[in-house]
Amino acid sequence: MNLIKLNDLFRIEDPGQYKFHAARWNHQEQPLEVYVRSREEWLDWNRWRNKKDEFNRRYIFSLIDFYHSNDIWLFGGIFEVVGRGTEVSSYSYNIEEIQDYNPYVGRLKVGLKKPSRGRAFRLEKHLEHMVVSEILQQPYSGEAFPGYECINHDLSDLRTVFETEKPDWKAALENVKGVYVITDKSNGKRYVGSAYGDSGIWARWDCYIGTGHGWSDELTKLIGQKGLEYAVKNFRMSLLEYRPMKTDDRAIIEREGFWKNVMLSNGKYGYNKN
């Protein structure tokens, strides 16, 4: 297969003027979710400067780890560094986006084996290894709804879906009742819950996005002690069963009880109080 090298498309003549920003998980957030959620937040990832002055060249060439796929990146823009903060309280880069490359921002997917740990690299060391993987018709706006049976997502990922009210997810989840499980990745404990009445899965899960605990007794105690970021970092959500909104609430509640017994979530293995 004949691969198209990225520089056949971009024609960067002097890569020695660029630092390659490999934006990836910073132990708090995925930059891909940040990009989808807020353009300004994504720009802040490029403005941020530590004492090492890692972006110490004229330009920043930014790629975002497309973490759903191995060794695939989303083009996040090229920025000129026009100023550098020197005071500790204002450590940041003053950047301006190079408009010539805007048509590719959020659309161009780049193939590149992940470099070693860190975020800033000399572009000339990696440019020749960057290849065009795909050009999307529209800028990436988040993961498409995967189907009810395939939801197994960290709360950090779902936060972007709910905060941006991604239409395909919302349309699917606001029209079903169901039973779900929240798994605490730090200890394996589970919480089984359900959505019934006039509120679908969307409204119920939206409450978890905002609070981390959804006002469930044991989870409320946990998040009260550890904070919302604990839920964002550790909670994974999956839909166990889904039913049409016309389903009798009693059927949903019965299935919730069944899954509590299956998961042993109402004992030492979980967060269900009963």
Side-chain angles (χ1 to χ4, degrees):
M1 181 174 64
N2 293 324
L3 299 176
I4 300 174
K5 290 190 174 183
L6 180 64
N7 210 28
D8 290 340
L9 184 66
F10 277 17
R11 303 292 183 183
I12 294 175
E13 295 182 358
D14 185 5
Q17 293 194 67
Y18 296 74
K19 271 298 187 71
F20 162 35
H21 179 194
R24 42 191 166 180
W25 172 248
N26 66 353
H27 303 289
Q28 292 182 324
E29 292 190 289
Q30 291 284 359
L32 186 64
E33 304 304 326
V34 171
Y35 167 80
V36 171
R37 182 171 70 238
S38 168
R39 176 70 170 168
E40 193 62 28
E41 283 187 66
W42 164 240
L43 291 177
D44 284 342
W45 274 58
N46 294 278
R47 294 187 182 109
W48 184 78
R49 175 190 173 191
N50 60 20
K51 293 182 180 180
K52 296 179 181 179
D53 190 19
E54 293 172 308
F55 297 151
N56 52 8
R57 291 179 171 180
R58 183 177 178 182
Y59 299 106
I60 304 170
F61 183 98
S62 288
L63 295 182
I64 305 167
D65 183 13
F66 199 83
Y67 66 98
H68 304 300
S69 304
N70 291 331
D71 298 330
I72 296 295
W73 306 75
L74 187 70
F75 178 60
I78 295 178
F79 308 92
E80 182 177 6
V81 180
V82 296
R84 290 176 167 84
T86 56
E87 299 296 329
V88 174
S89 60
S90 61
Y91 255 69
S92 63
Y93 296 100
N94 184 9
I95 60 175
E96 293 181 358
E97 188 166 8
I98 305 301
Q99 300 299 316
D100 293 349
Y101 300 95
N102 271 2
Y104 297 105
V105 173
R107 295 179 56 214
L108 174 63
K109 293 168 73 173
V110 177
L112 175 70
K113 186 175 181 180
K114 285 184 174 60
S116 59
R117 289 187 297 177
R119 71 165 189 151
F121 304 89
R122 297 175 182 176
L123 182 61
E124 64 268 25
K125 298 290 186 180
H126 299 277
L127 185 58
E128 281 299 304
H129 303 291
M130 296 178 182
V131 297
V132 175
S133 173
E134 181 181 4
I135 298 179
L136 304 174
Q137 289 187 346
Q138 299 294 330
Y140 181 73
S141 60
E143 180 187 1
F145 181 67
Y148 297 107
E149 296 87 355
C150 297
I151 300 174
N152 184 31
H153 289 63
D154 290 346
L155 193 66
S156 58
D157 298 338
L158 291 175
R159 183 168 62 172
T160 301
V161 169
F162 280 78
E163 289 181 353
T164 59
E165 294 193 357
K166 199 161 185 311
D168 53 341
W169 281 78
K170 187 174 183 180
L173 295 180
E174 69 181 357
N175 292 307
V176 293
K177 302 177 179 181
V179 182
Y180 56 87
V181 59
I182 300 173
T183 302
D184 186 336
K185 297 187 297 181
S186 73
N187 55 28
K189 287 188 175 182
R190 300 182 177 93
Y191 174 83
V192 173
S194 62
Y196 51 88
D198 295 330
S199 300
I201 293 291
W202 179 269
R204 185 72 188 102
W205 283 12
D206 191 41
C207 188
Y208 287 104
I209 300 299
T211 65
H213 51 64
W215 302 108
S216 304
D217 289 345
E218 294 302 311
L219 293 183
T220 299
K221 292 179 184 178
L222 177 70
I223 300 307
Q225 295 170 355
K226 297 182 177 291
L228 176 60
E229 284 306 309
Y230 179 87
V232 173
K233 180 180 179 180
N234 294 296
F235 284 2
R236 175 168 291 179
M237 305 187 72
S238 183
L239 191 58
L240 297 173
E241 294 190 21
Y242 63 97
R243 298 286 187 274
M245 290 297 288
K246 64 182 180 181
T247 303
D248 191 295
D249 288 346
R250 290 173 295 181
I252 302 297
I253 295 170
E254 287 176 4
R255 296 304 296 169
E256 179 185 11
F258 169 80
W259 282 107
K260 286 178 181 178
N261 290 330
V262 170
M263 299 286 185
L264 300 176
S265 64
N266 51 4
K268 64 180 181 178
Y269 302 107
Y271 290 124
N272 286 105
K273 192 172 182 179
N274 51 48

